Amino acid sequence: MKFEVYVPRNERDLLTFLSRRKGVARIIAGGTSIIPDIRTRKISPICLVDVSHLSNMRYIKRQKDRVRIGALTRIQDLKSKILKKTGCKAFEQVAGNFGGTAIANMATVGGNLAVASSSSDLVPVFLSLEANVLLKSSTGEREIGLEDLMVEKSKTARKTPELIAEVNFQLPATGKKISLFRKIGKRSSIFLAFLSLATFLWVDEAGVIKQARLAFNQVRSGTPGRARNVENALGGQNLNEATIERAVGRLSLDISNPFRQQTAAEYWNLASRNLLEEQLRQCTAEMS
Amino acid sequence: MRKLIFTVNGKRRTCLVRDHETLLEVLRNRLGLKGAKDGCSTGDCGACAVIVDNRLVNSCLMLAIQARGSKILTIEGIGSRQRLHRLQRAFIEEGAVQCGYCTPAMILAAKSLLDHQIKPSEEAIRNEISGILCRCTGYNQIVRAIQASSQRRTRR
Amino acid sequence: MRSSSQFNIIGKPVERIDAVRKVLGDPVYAADLIPNDSLHIKLVRAQLPHAKIVNIDISTASRAKGVRGVLTARDIPGVNISSCIIPDRPLLAHGKVRCVGDIIAAVIAEDIDTAADAASLVNVEYEPLPVISSPSESLRHESIKVHENGNIVRHLRIRKGDVEKGFAESDIIVENSYATQFQDPTPIEPEAGFSRPNSDGLVTFRGSMQNPHYVRGAIARILGTREDKVRVVQADTGGTFGTKSDEVAMDIGGLTAISSIMMHKPVSLVYTREESMVLHSKRHPFTIKHKTGVTKDGLLRAAEIELVADTGAYASNGPLVLLRAIFHSTGPYVIPNVKADGLCVYTNNTIAGSFRGFGNPQAHFAAECQMDAVASKLGMDPLEFRLKNILRPGASTASGQILDESVGLEECADIVRDSSRWSDKRAEYKASQGRLRKGIGLALMYHGNSIGPEGADIATATVTLTKSGVVFKIGLTEYGTGARSGLAQIIAEVIGVPLELVKDEPADTATTEDSGGTFASRTTVMGGRAVMAAARAIRDKLNKVAAELLECHPSDVTIQDGIVRRSARSRMIPLGKLVDECSRRGVGLTEFARYTATGSAFDENTGQGTPYLQYTFGAVVAEVEVDTGLGLARAIKLTTAYDVGRAINPRGLEGQIEGGAAQALGYALMEELVHKNCEVANPSLSEYLIPTSIDVPEIESHLVEYPGRLGPFGAKAMGEPPIVAPAAAIVNAIYHATGVWVRELPATPDKILLAISL
């Protein structure tokens, strides 16, 4: 491991440096994915930019119905009171099974989104919340939907000098909100997700689903994404066994099996359906 | 080389480090504190865990210069041969030590937990140490040691 | 035999003698001790699993800044061999490579990053050869030879009775095939060591290892020098589970020794986790076929068993692993007619060798799942069926060995049945409905003590008593099990000193005699007999002198807690004073003892004889919960009982039982080192998963004591046995929960779910 590290004085300085060292400088925040990548020689950057001290990018705040999470917010911070109050259990579920205390204490929200792989637990969660991402560069800033940011496996639509500064999402002011997440792997804790699913439901007083958004860690090889046919089957319905069955039946329209190897592909087929069914049943439990 | 000033086990330390050196490398190679272990260098085993500004971190994933101005606590700052920390005592008494390679990290994780929660549940203990791999004990004796230590404290 | 309560120190849950330095984080492991002026080695590994080496070009690497040298096969001064039983493995590859764990070159540089950069500059030209990726390919394609003399390393047989007759007498015949995987031992400390040249022409190697005396022999051969020119010292070793008994320690010792002599400087070699997982030996994958004949009232009549082990590109300890596997392949049952054949074969996979259990976990996984399959065909309770057939005192094993002592299997089975509420839970869980299903299953086990007929089972020890206490030296090492603390207890018990006064010295070839290998769970049993004999000799001398002072017969002298007396009311002499008196009289209190275990032998053609001198027995009940929608199986409780002969340190035993169970749980449910076309596909701890604190359930352990003749105070081997039975118990519990068998380990969610959905 040999590289130089630039320590910017502030956010302005960081953005200027990124634009000057376009494509050369890589950002290090928590270090939980970039250091292993360098160690195992997957990448060999010559320059890193340390952003870990830019504490103004570490925040969770609620402005009316919008929740804003700074990119340097640590995974451990997702257990915070503000998020708990939103009723979105998904955050606690991500933080509670992220990679052990030390990793959750180091890894950041921005870092997890930047990795953009099927093993990023936050990607399906934020997709299900239809989150936007605030990108900053020396020439300005722009906000795009997270879904538009995830182009393909390990790639984002982020232009090189752009920095993921914030992720934000809107929560409906009325009605019941349910947000759940679960990931599946061989071990009961600390593993990269083989399969994960995040669900967001907005339900009115009469128990009718006003909005349903579901996202898997992969909808095709390596790419996270929404399951819109499933969502459509749920929208406007009461969440009961018949609805669940119909929604699960739509899943194959949304997903093209990410695996070529037969056992993995067959397992994915069965497990993704069953996980969806389980999570929707859990939503029913959450509603009552 | 860059000058790094930080506090390690209550003492202000200054040393020259290279940008790419991890906190683990600096603790072990420049400060001679060998208690934090290198088990994988990729954050998967947790043997390198230390406490930085009251948070448990994997020192193999943190660049040393990211610890500038921080307060670091390593196993060497926990107790001494003459005065073992109650966690160290409990680890010995409960048989939580076998090969010993994960022991410093386990003790620091336990300390970090007990600093935040007076009497954590078994589930909380298991979660707290879940990022630190032990291949000898099967963990249950470690969990019992942490429970024993927390009970001892609450009794006082 | 006395019961444990009659001992002062034996049988007490005492503190380990090495615990304090470990909780303090003292610098005691090899990587902690590397001198500041050390040079560092990075290895160049084979890029192909089977290929001729056309050329190795080290010129660019050698010229790189900071590089001090590059070793290839031609630089080895002595014999280019680093292997275990058969000299089939070169330290540095020459001519051809046989697996991706072959080492082509060692780059020596001023720092590890420089060495690593230079290692990537070593250019190797290969001519690829066809690859053997499995035992079946190895046996099918005899023309593709991993080694010149063919692909079969060893064929072993058991022939007992007449299986044809046995099957004819059977009402039901059950045939199944089982497969196990490469399991990585994953000691948390990766392999490490360094050599330092001494001014007197000696070289000292200090490292993480099990057997310093064997490593000394290997280094001396590699250097082409006499053993007395090489000193090997074991550093505190952060786990090994067998693998540091094999080639790795010799590789690191050999390469650092050569380079430190060449460079006149200390040279270190510390493996990364990836190097560790590719280079060290793993658990052998086995395929095991069982054909079992049983009468309708549940009596086993015949077993025909075929075992095939993949030892990878080199034999390592494969031949002995196969031996242990075949001798345990029936499970702990009386079967009058047995025919078993075992093959150990070469492939181009990385090496399989020593790993806790040494063939027995594989044998028991197959045998104990087979017992459940038979019970299920019979419609009998799996435990009741087993109890009709288990080994009891006087029974004859598959090798025709009559067990005339220390057979506590039935009591173990009774205990786990009662304490797990076996019958109630069998019924209760069977009735469970819904997506989450619980199941309860069990496995019985036995494990031969002693190393068997293929090596000298000796142990030596030196014990010294002074006024300051006892110091003992033994060539058997501590690597986490606590066995040396058990030795300290034995010494303290025999001499009569408080345990705190007993200290050990590191295993160092310059100061300790060869004591055989620290493997096969033999430290307590064999090492225990050696320290016991040495301590006994000291005690006899003390008794004699004390008897004169106390005016009594030597056999009337008691020494306890450092107090010497004749009877409860007699005059007391502090032990220190007695030691002074011995010194004054010229009575030396240093004793050396050697213990040799004899009597194991078997017939090569029939496998009949005494492969092991005594057996540890045990029973394990596993309870699981299976998510039948996702195929996730989780152990929720394990209940174990082991006949340990005599518990020296019950807490230490608990640690062995729980740790072994956790490792077995990983073996059962998640661990698999995958070889894809002979490349290791997952050499990292993010892809090769071992159990965490969340995966391991409550483990209730019971100790049963049927003292054996072999070990000190009747103690039996307990390092390896705990990993033998749990995997089968877990898989049997999954069957109970779901009605599906997983006959290929590990029982991962995909296998379980696909089986359920069939």
Side-chain angles (χ1 to χ4, degrees), chain A residues 110-269:
Chain A
N112 198 246
L113 294 182
V115 172
S117 82
S118 59
S119 54
S120 317
D121 293 347
L122 282 177
V123 171
V125 172
F126 282 123
L127 284 176
S128 76
L129 294 167
E130 217 158 49
N132 287 337
V133 174
L134 177 67
L135 299 170
K136 287 187 180 174
S137 69
S138 58
T139 54
E141 55 181 66
R142 63 181 177 126
E143 197 165 290
I144 65 167
L146 177 63
E147 202 170 12
D148 301 320
L149 189 73
M150 300 291 137
V151 188
E152 56 184 285
K153 194 172 179 173
S154 305
K155 236 186 208 157
T156 66
R158 192 158 48 108
K159 294 171 191 135
T160 23
E162 278 183 321
L163 171 81
I164 296 177
E166 180 191 283
V167 55
N168 61 64
F169 57 91
Q170 199 171 6
L171 283 175
T174 59
K176 173 106 185 158
K177 280 90 62 181
I178 299 160
S179 158
L180 297 174
F181 172 79
R182 185 168 178 195
K183 66 171 167 177
I184 307 299
K186 272 192 243 179
R187 193 160 67 178
S188 48
S189 69
I190 309 181
F191 52 85
L192 300 178
F194 172 83
L195 164 66
S196 71
L197 170 64
T199 298
F200 173 79
L201 295 184
W202 177 27
V203 186
D204 71 11
E205 280 72 30
V208 176
I209 299 169
K210 296 182 75 170
Q211 192 163 41
R213 291 190 298 249
L214 292 93
F216 283 88
N217 67 328
Q218 304 186 69
V219 286
R220 57 178 189 278
S221 179
T223 312
R226 298 257 299 263
R228 288 210 157 72
N229 287 288
V230 174
E231 294 174 2
N232 290 339
L234 294 166
Q237 306 293 315
N238 274 301
L239 192 59
N240 53 35
E241 281 302 308
T243 317
I244 291 174
E245 196 181 320
R246 208 162 37 245
V248 172
R250 297 284 185 84
L251 182 63
S252 59
L253 301 172
D254 287 316
I255 290 185
S256 69
N257 200 308
F259 295 95
R260 252 173 294 171
Q261 198 261 334
Q262 199 192 340
T263 323
E266 282 177 33
Y267 177 68
W268 174 274
N269 265 341

Side-chain angles (χ1 to χ4, degrees), chain C residues 210-223:
Chain C
Q210 291 185 212
N211 312 314
H213 289 84
Y214 293 2
V215 172
R216 176 183 66 178
I219 295 175
R221 271 194 306 281
I222 289 162
L223 292 175

Side-chain angles (χ1 to χ4, degrees), chain A residues 1-2 41 182 184-189 191 263 266-267 270-271 274-275 278, chain C residues 113 116-117 435 629-630 632 670 689-690 692 694-695 748-750 753-754 757:
Chain A
M1 261 195 358
K2 273 180 193 168
R41 299 189 167 228
R182 185 168 178 195
I184 307 299
K186 272 192 243 179
R187 193 160 67 178
S188 48
S189 69
F191 52 85
T263 323
E266 282 177 33
Y267 177 68
L270 291 164
N274 293 343
L275 177 61
E278 183 214 34
Chain C
D113 287 325
D117 287 343
R435 184 161 160 167
L630 297 166
L632 296 168
M670 62 187 83
L689 301 181
I690 67 170
T692 73
I694 294 174
D695 297 291
T748 45
D750 50 346
L753 188 59
L754 296 188
S757 71

